[in-house]
Amino acid sequence: MPQSDDERLVALEARLARDDPRFAEALRAGRPAPPREYRRTGAWWMLLIAVGVLVTGVALADGLLIAAGLVLAGVAVQLLDPHRARPERRLPPFL
């Protein structure tokens, strides 16, 4: 027996509320909010800190600070990637 459109919409709403509650609440209230995939404020802050650490490392001629700045910048740029895949949850292998 085919599923009705109402049941599909309720299932879609429940999945959306579970995946991104802030976005679902904004839809209910009628106030647009960007979905989780487009909120990257933390990544921008990390990139800003990474550039600061890198510049400080260059100014002080400290290789450890330069390396830390480069690593942090790489992590921040990876977080800014809009097409990054979600990590899959895998079950541990049987022993």
Side-chain angles (χ1 to χ4, degrees):
M1 186 164 162
Q3 195 176 22
S4 73
D5 290 339
D6 291 338
E7 291 172 358
R8 289 182 195 164
L9 288 174
V10 169
L12 180 63
E13 179 184 9
R15 187 174 55 191
L16 180 63
R18 185 182 64 243
D19 289 346
D20 195 353
R22 179 179 165 201
F23 181 65
E25 181 60 34
L27 281 178
R28 272 189 226 107
R31 293 171 291 144
R36 181 182 316 164
E37 292 83 16
Y38 296 108
R39 295 191 300 252
R40 294 190 177 87
T41 306
W44 284 109
W45 278 107
M46 182 182 274
L47 185 60
L48 182 68
I49 290 169
V51 169
V53 169
L54 182 62
V55 168
T56 303
V58 170
L60 296 176
D62 186 4
L64 186 59
L65 283 177
I66 293 172
L70 289 172
V71 169
L72 284 175
V75 169
V77 168
Q78 181 69 25
L79 291 174
L80 288 170
D81 182 16
H83 300 293
R84 68 179 175 184
R86 289 185 176 176
E88 295 180 16
R89 293 182 180 158
R90 295 184 182 182
L91 296 175
F94 293 106
L95 298 176

